[in-house]
Amino acid sequence: MPKPTTPNTPLTRRALLHTGVGICATAAGAVLLSACSSSDDSLAKQANSGDNKGYIAGDGSVTEYQEAERGDPVAFTGELFDGKTVTAESLRGKPVLLNFWYAGCAPCRAEAPDLQKLSEEFKDKIAFYGVNVRDEKNTAEAFERSFNVTYPSFKDVTGKVLLSLSKYVPAQAVPTTVILDEKGRVASRVLGQANPSILKTLVETVTKGA
C-alpha cells in the first residue's frame, strides 16, 4: 500500500493533497460497531449535538493509488436506510465516493455541507453514498435534514461495509472517505475530515474523461 502523503511540500497539485486534516477516532473499536440503544428522542438529540463523546482528534492523511497500485474491486452488500439493498458490483461502471460517518461526530458535521455540494456538482459523473457506522434511522435522518444531505447512506451498525474495506478504512477512523474508480477499485482515501479543495481534486482525478 502506498505511504500516506506528507505535509510541508511546495504548493503543487500534489502538495495540495499533502495537507493534513482532522480525524475522529473511537476510544475503543467496539464502540464503532455497536448500535445506539437510546430512545428515538435521545437519538435525535445526538444528531443535533455533535458533541463527539468518546472520540479523540487525530492528524489524518490523504492517499492516492495509481492505476497499477490499485487492488481488486471491493466487494460488499449493504442496506440503505430506505431499505434498498445495494452491492458493490452493482455500482461498477461509474466512480463512487463512500463517506463513513455518524451523527455525533463533529468532523462529520463539519464536512457534510462540502460533501453535499460536491455531490450536486458531480452528480452525473460520480455516485455519492454515506456509510453510517453507528446510528439508527431516526438519528441519521435528523442529520440529513439538518445538513440537507440528499445522497443515500448505508445503515452499517453491524460493520459489514466497513469490514469489507478494512484494508483501507481503519475500524477506529471516522470520518473516512474512500473513492472507487469505475471498476470498483480504491483510487484514493481521506482519513479524517476532508478538506473541500483536496476532495474536489480527488473527485476530478477519478472522473477525468467521464
Side-chain angles (χ1 to χ4, degrees), residues 119-138:
S119 74
E120 295 170 1
E121 183 177 352
F122 291 90
K123 62 182 179 181
D124 296 326
K125 295 185 176 182
I126 183 170
F128 274 62
Y129 285 89
V131 183
N132 187 295
V133 298
R134 182 170 179 176
D135 303 320
E136 294 297 337
K137 185 175 182 179
N138 284 0

Side-chain angles (χ1 to χ4, degrees), residues 10-52:
L11 293 178
T12 61
R13 176 185 175 278
R14 236 334 131 176
L16 177 64
L17 295 174
H18 293 174
T19 304
V21 289
I23 189 169
C24 173
T26 61
V31 175
L32 183 63
L33 301 180
S34 63
C36 295
S37 58
S38 306
S39 66
D40 288 348
D41 287 343
S42 296
L43 290 171
K45 288 178 182 178
Q46 178 192 357
N48 291 317
S49 67
D51 57 12
N52 216 30

Side-chain angles (χ1 to χ4, degrees), residues 33-207:
L33 301 180
S34 63
C36 295
S37 58
S38 306
S39 66
D40 288 348
D41 287 343
S42 296
L43 290 171
K45 288 178 182 178
Q46 178 192 357
N48 291 317
S49 67
D51 57 12
N52 216 30
K53 289 181 178 178
Y55 288 75
I56 58 176
D59 55 3
S61 63
V62 179
T63 304
E64 283 187 282
Y65 301 88
Q66 301 307 313
E67 282 274 353
E69 300 171 332
R70 297 173 191 173
D72 295 329
V74 299
F76 62 79
T77 299
E79 182 181 336
L80 303 180
F81 278 105
D82 65 6
K84 181 180 178 180
T85 297
V86 175
T87 66
E89 185 176 5
S90 70
L91 299 176
R92 293 174 196 167
K94 185 177 184 178
V96 177
L97 182 147
L98 298 172
N99 175 253
F100 291 79
W101 67 283
Y102 75 96
C105 170
C108 301
R109 299 169 66 83
E111 69 180 6
D114 298 321
L115 286 163
Q116 174 60 27
K117 183 178 179 180
L118 276 178
S119 74
E120 295 170 1
E121 183 177 352
F122 291 90
K123 62 182 179 181
D124 296 326
K125 295 185 176 182
I126 183 170
F128 274 62
Y129 285 89
V131 183
N132 187 295
V133 298
R134 182 170 179 176
D135 303 320
E136 294 297 337
K137 185 175 182 179
N138 284 0
T139 304
E141 289 181 344
F143 179 98
E144 291 169 346
R145 287 193 299 270
S146 294
F147 295 98
N148 299 312
V149 175
T150 58
Y151 55 84
S153 279
F154 290 94
K155 179 181 178 181
D156 200 44
V157 294
T158 60
K160 289 175 63 178
V161 177
L162 176 65
L163 290 173
S164 72
L165 286 158
S166 60
K167 180 179 177 181
Y168 304 96
V169 185
Q172 299 179 357
V174 177
T176 289
T177 300
V178 173
I179 298 178
L180 309 179
D181 65 17
E182 70 280 358
K183 296 179 181 178
R185 304 172 302 173
V186 175
S188 56
R189 176 194 67 187
V190 180
L191 292 176
Q193 182 181 334
N195 176 288
S197 296
I198 294 174
L199 190 57
K200 183 173 182 179
T201 299
L202 295 173
V203 170
E204 287 174 338
T205 298
V206 79
T207 59

